[in-house]
Amino acid sequence: MSEKIENILIATDGSENVKNAVDWGIDLAKSTDAKVKALFVIPPVGVSAAVRGESWAEGTRTHLEKEGKEATEYVVEMGKAAGVDVEPVTIEDHPSEGIVNFARENNMDLIVMGTLGKTGLSQLLLGSVAENVVRRAKTSVMVIP
């Protein structure tokens, strides 16, 4: 590795599948003295929300905001336990686009994420979000099973 890792983005959806990636990201940050941002991306509620009504869409959004807070706070707590400062961030976007764009706009040196998130086994080897991030990111990506 020729470049120093100073800024690590840990992408999380709060699922059990991502916890190993969080551990790896925090350990790497500790060993490189890197800054960490924990990112949760709230996906667009979409057309089904419009069909079901505004109150349903708002309820879904509130639920996702709560999930995002819990997911990023988990990373913050893991960081505290390891002596690593973690900044929690929640944004709204399509998950893979949000991760790639956030990494680019915030000069991240590395994206750390799990192979599978809440969508589980939708892809056999690599989840669709992880696959899209690997294909599109100009930032190095570490994908952890």
PDB file of all heavy atoms in Angstrom, residues 5-6 37 59 62 73 82 98 107 117-121 126-127 130 132 140 144:
ATOM      1  N   ILE A   5      -3.549   5.926   4.646  1.00  0.00           N
ATOM      2  CA  ILE A   5      -4.988   5.948   4.875  1.00  0.00           C
ATOM      3  C   ILE A   5      -5.254   6.902   6.024  1.00  0.00           C
ATOM      4  O   ILE A   5      -4.857   6.645   7.153  1.00  0.00           O
ATOM      5  CB  ILE A   5      -5.525   4.544   5.198  1.00  0.00           C
ATOM      6  CG1 ILE A   5      -5.285   3.611   4.023  1.00  0.00           C
ATOM      7  CG2 ILE A   5      -7.011   4.609   5.540  1.00  0.00           C
ATOM      8  CD1 ILE A   5      -5.630   2.169   4.313  1.00  0.00           C
ATOM      9  N   GLU A   6      -5.909   8.018   5.711  1.00  0.00           N
ATOM     10  CA  GLU A   6      -6.207   9.034   6.717  1.00  0.00           C
ATOM     11  C   GLU A   6      -7.700   9.166   6.995  1.00  0.00           C
ATOM     12  O   GLU A   6      -8.089   9.612   8.073  1.00  0.00           O
ATOM     13  CB  GLU A   6      -5.648  10.387   6.275  1.00  0.00           C
ATOM     14  CG  GLU A   6      -4.133  10.384   6.174  1.00  0.00           C
ATOM     15  CD  GLU A   6      -3.570  11.701   5.660  1.00  0.00           C
ATOM     16  OE1 GLU A   6      -4.336  12.498   5.068  1.00  0.00           O
ATOM     17  OE2 GLU A   6      -2.371  11.924   5.838  1.00  0.00           O
ATOM     18  N   LYS A  37     -15.740   7.991   9.351  1.00  0.00           N
ATOM     19  CA  LYS A  37     -17.122   8.433   9.224  1.00  0.00           C
ATOM     20  C   LYS A  37     -17.957   7.163   9.037  1.00  0.00           C
ATOM     21  O   LYS A  37     -17.623   6.323   8.207  1.00  0.00           O
ATOM     22  CB  LYS A  37     -17.307   9.371   8.050  1.00  0.00           C
ATOM     23  CG  LYS A  37     -16.599  10.709   8.246  1.00  0.00           C
ATOM     24  CD  LYS A  37     -17.000  11.699   7.176  1.00  0.00           C
ATOM     25  CE  LYS A  37     -16.180  12.965   7.210  1.00  0.00           C
ATOM     26  NZ  LYS A  37     -16.408  13.822   8.334  1.00  0.00           N
ATOM     27  N   GLY A  59     -44.021   7.611   8.053  1.00  0.00           N
ATOM     28  CA  GLY A  59     -43.713   6.550   9.015  1.00  0.00           C
ATOM     29  C   GLY A  59     -42.506   5.738   8.592  1.00  0.00           C
ATOM     30  O   GLY A  59     -41.645   5.391   9.415  1.00  0.00           O
ATOM     31  N   THR A  62     -39.389   7.905   9.114  1.00  0.00           N
ATOM     32  CA  THR A  62     -39.056   7.977  10.536  1.00  0.00           C
ATOM     33  C   THR A  62     -38.382   6.679  10.988  1.00  0.00           C
ATOM     34  O   THR A  62     -37.397   6.699  11.715  1.00  0.00           O
ATOM     35  CB  THR A  62     -40.323   8.249  11.375  1.00  0.00           C
ATOM     36  OG1 THR A  62     -40.874   9.500  10.957  1.00  0.00           O
ATOM     37  CG2 THR A  62     -40.020   8.291  12.853  1.00  0.00           C
ATOM     38  N   GLU A  73     -24.596   4.716  15.440  1.00  0.00           N
ATOM     39  CA  GLU A  73     -24.197   4.743  16.855  1.00  0.00           C
ATOM     40  C   GLU A  73     -23.469   3.468  17.248  1.00  0.00           C
ATOM     41  O   GLU A  73     -22.583   3.493  18.102  1.00  0.00           O
ATOM     42  CB  GLU A  73     -25.409   4.974  17.764  1.00  0.00           C
ATOM     43  CG  GLU A  73     -25.861   6.421  17.784  1.00  0.00           C
ATOM     44  CD  GLU A  73     -24.775   7.403  18.223  1.00  0.00           C
ATOM     45  OE1 GLU A  73     -24.083   7.141  19.229  1.00  0.00           O
ATOM     46  OE2 GLU A  73     -24.617   8.435  17.546  1.00  0.00           O
ATOM     47  N   ALA A  82     -12.377   1.111  21.042  1.00  0.00           N
ATOM     48  CA  ALA A  82     -11.035   0.945  20.483  1.00  0.00           C
ATOM     49  C   ALA A  82     -10.203   2.218  20.546  1.00  0.00           C
ATOM     50  O   ALA A  82      -9.057   2.238  20.108  1.00  0.00           O
ATOM     51  CB  ALA A  82     -11.144   0.470  19.029  1.00  0.00           C
ATOM     52  N   GLY A  98     -25.097   6.891  -2.980  1.00  0.00           N
ATOM     53  CA  GLY A  98     -24.813   7.694  -1.801  1.00  0.00           C
ATOM     54  C   GLY A  98     -23.431   7.410  -1.234  1.00  0.00           C
ATOM     55  O   GLY A  98     -22.694   8.328  -0.878  1.00  0.00           O
ATOM     56  N   ASN A 107     -13.422  13.190   0.369  1.00  0.00           N
ATOM     57  CA  ASN A 107     -12.020  12.782   0.260  1.00  0.00           C
ATOM     58  C   ASN A 107     -11.670  11.568   1.111  1.00  0.00           C
ATOM     59  O   ASN A 107     -10.645  11.546   1.791  1.00  0.00           O
ATOM     60  CB  ASN A 107     -11.091  13.956   0.603  1.00  0.00           C
ATOM     61  CG  ASN A 107     -11.289  15.112  -0.339  1.00  0.00           C
ATOM     62  OD1 ASN A 107     -11.357  14.941  -1.551  1.00  0.00           O
ATOM     63  ND2 ASN A 107     -11.448  16.300   0.216  1.00  0.00           N
ATOM     64  N   GLY A 117     -25.753  -6.951   2.986  1.00  0.00           N
ATOM     65  CA  GLY A 117     -26.436  -6.145   3.988  1.00  0.00           C
ATOM     66  C   GLY A 117     -27.804  -6.734   4.261  1.00  0.00           C
ATOM     67  O   GLY A 117     -27.990  -7.941   4.231  1.00  0.00           O
ATOM     68  N   LYS A 118     -28.774  -5.871   4.475  1.00  0.00           N
ATOM     69  CA  LYS A 118     -30.120  -6.319   4.828  1.00  0.00           C
ATOM     70  C   LYS A 118     -30.814  -7.071   3.711  1.00  0.00           C
ATOM     71  O   LYS A 118     -31.754  -7.800   3.952  1.00  0.00           O
ATOM     72  CB  LYS A 118     -30.971  -5.127   5.247  1.00  0.00           C
ATOM     73  CG  LYS A 118     -30.523  -4.607   6.576  1.00  0.00           C
ATOM     74  CD  LYS A 118     -31.509  -3.661   7.135  1.00  0.00           C
ATOM     75  CE  LYS A 118     -31.030  -3.294   8.521  1.00  0.00           C
ATOM     76  NZ  LYS A 118     -31.936  -2.483   9.232  1.00  0.00           N
ATOM     77  N   THR A 119     -30.334  -6.910   2.498  1.00  0.00           N
ATOM     78  CA  THR A 119     -30.969  -7.625   1.399  1.00  0.00           C
ATOM     79  C   THR A 119     -30.581  -9.087   1.403  1.00  0.00           C
ATOM     80  O   THR A 119     -31.135  -9.877   0.676  1.00  0.00           O
ATOM     81  CB  THR A 119     -30.590  -6.995   0.036  1.00  0.00           C
ATOM     82  OG1 THR A 119     -29.175  -6.972  -0.072  1.00  0.00           O
ATOM     83  CG2 THR A 119     -31.162  -5.613  -0.092  1.00  0.00           C
ATOM     84  N   GLY A 120     -29.611  -9.449   2.250  1.00  0.00           N
ATOM     85  CA  GLY A 120     -29.253 -10.851   2.447  1.00  0.00           C
ATOM     86  C   GLY A 120     -28.677 -11.515   1.225  1.00  0.00           C
ATOM     87  O   GLY A 120     -27.706 -11.034   0.661  1.00  0.00           O
ATOM     88  N   LEU A 121     -29.259 -12.618   0.817  1.00  0.00           N
ATOM     89  CA  LEU A 121     -28.675 -13.440  -0.232  1.00  0.00           C
ATOM     90  C   LEU A 121     -29.217 -13.118  -1.617  1.00  0.00           C
ATOM     91  O   LEU A 121     -29.337 -14.004  -2.448  1.00  0.00           O
ATOM     92  CB  LEU A 121     -28.909 -14.920   0.088  1.00  0.00           C
ATOM     93  CG  LEU A 121     -28.266 -15.385   1.394  1.00  0.00           C
ATOM     94  CD1 LEU A 121     -28.688 -16.820   1.689  1.00  0.00           C
ATOM     95  CD2 LEU A 121     -26.767 -15.276   1.337  1.00  0.00           C
ATOM     96  N   LEU A 126     -21.685 -11.483  -3.761  1.00  0.00           N
ATOM     97  CA  LEU A 126     -21.496 -10.098  -3.376  1.00  0.00           C
ATOM     98  C   LEU A 126     -22.834  -9.382  -3.496  1.00  0.00           C
ATOM     99  O   LEU A 126     -23.498  -9.478  -4.525  1.00  0.00           O
ATOM    100  CB  LEU A 126     -20.459  -9.456  -4.316  1.00  0.00           C
ATOM    101  CG  LEU A 126     -19.917  -8.094  -3.964  1.00  0.00           C
ATOM    102  CD1 LEU A 126     -19.140  -8.157  -2.651  1.00  0.00           C
ATOM    103  CD2 LEU A 126     -18.981  -7.609  -5.056  1.00  0.00           C
ATOM    104  N   GLY A 127     -23.247  -8.703  -2.446  1.00  0.00           N
ATOM    105  CA  GLY A 127     -24.516  -7.991  -2.466  1.00  0.00           C
ATOM    106  C   GLY A 127     -24.545  -6.940  -3.553  1.00  0.00           C
ATOM    107  O   GLY A 127     -23.512  -6.440  -3.994  1.00  0.00           O
ATOM    108  N   ALA A 130     -22.840  -3.581  -2.523  1.00  0.00           N
ATOM    109  CA  ALA A 130     -21.379  -3.728  -2.496  1.00  0.00           C
ATOM    110  C   ALA A 130     -20.825  -3.843  -3.913  1.00  0.00           C
ATOM    111  O   ALA A 130     -19.819  -3.213  -4.247  1.00  0.00           O
ATOM    112  CB  ALA A 130     -20.975  -4.940  -1.663  1.00  0.00           C
ATOM    113  N   ASN A 132     -22.098  -2.688  -6.725  1.00  0.00           N
ATOM    114  CA  ASN A 132     -22.180  -1.389  -7.398  1.00  0.00           C
ATOM    115  C   ASN A 132     -21.127  -0.413  -6.886  1.00  0.00           C
ATOM    116  O   ASN A 132     -20.562   0.359  -7.662  1.00  0.00           O
ATOM    117  CB  ASN A 132     -23.574  -0.790  -7.245  1.00  0.00           C
ATOM    118  CG  ASN A 132     -24.588  -1.476  -8.134  1.00  0.00           C
ATOM    119  OD1 ASN A 132     -24.258  -2.002  -9.188  1.00  0.00           O
ATOM    120  ND2 ASN A 132     -25.836  -1.496  -7.693  1.00  0.00           N
ATOM    121  N   SER A 140     -10.607   3.418  -3.015  1.00  0.00           N
ATOM    122  CA  SER A 140     -10.380   1.998  -2.720  1.00  0.00           C
ATOM    123  C   SER A 140     -11.534   1.487  -1.857  1.00  0.00           C
ATOM    124  O   SER A 140     -12.056   2.205  -1.007  1.00  0.00           O
ATOM    125  CB  SER A 140      -9.066   1.819  -1.954  1.00  0.00           C
ATOM    126  OG  SER A 140      -7.981   2.208  -2.769  1.00  0.00           O
ATOM    127  N   ILE A 144     -15.832  -6.841   3.218  1.00  0.00           N
ATOM    128  CA  ILE A 144     -15.587  -7.859   4.228  1.00  0.00           C
ATOM    129  C   ILE A 144     -16.780  -8.797   4.326  1.00  0.00           C
ATOM    130  O   ILE A 144     -17.913  -8.345   4.474  1.00  0.00           O
ATOM    131  CB  ILE A 144     -15.367  -7.188   5.619  1.00  0.00           C
ATOM    132  CG1 ILE A 144     -14.266  -6.128   5.553  1.00  0.00           C
ATOM    133  CG2 ILE A 144     -15.096  -8.229   6.685  1.00  0.00           C
ATOM    134  CD1 ILE A 144     -12.908  -6.646   5.243  1.00  0.00           C
TER     135      ILE A 144
END
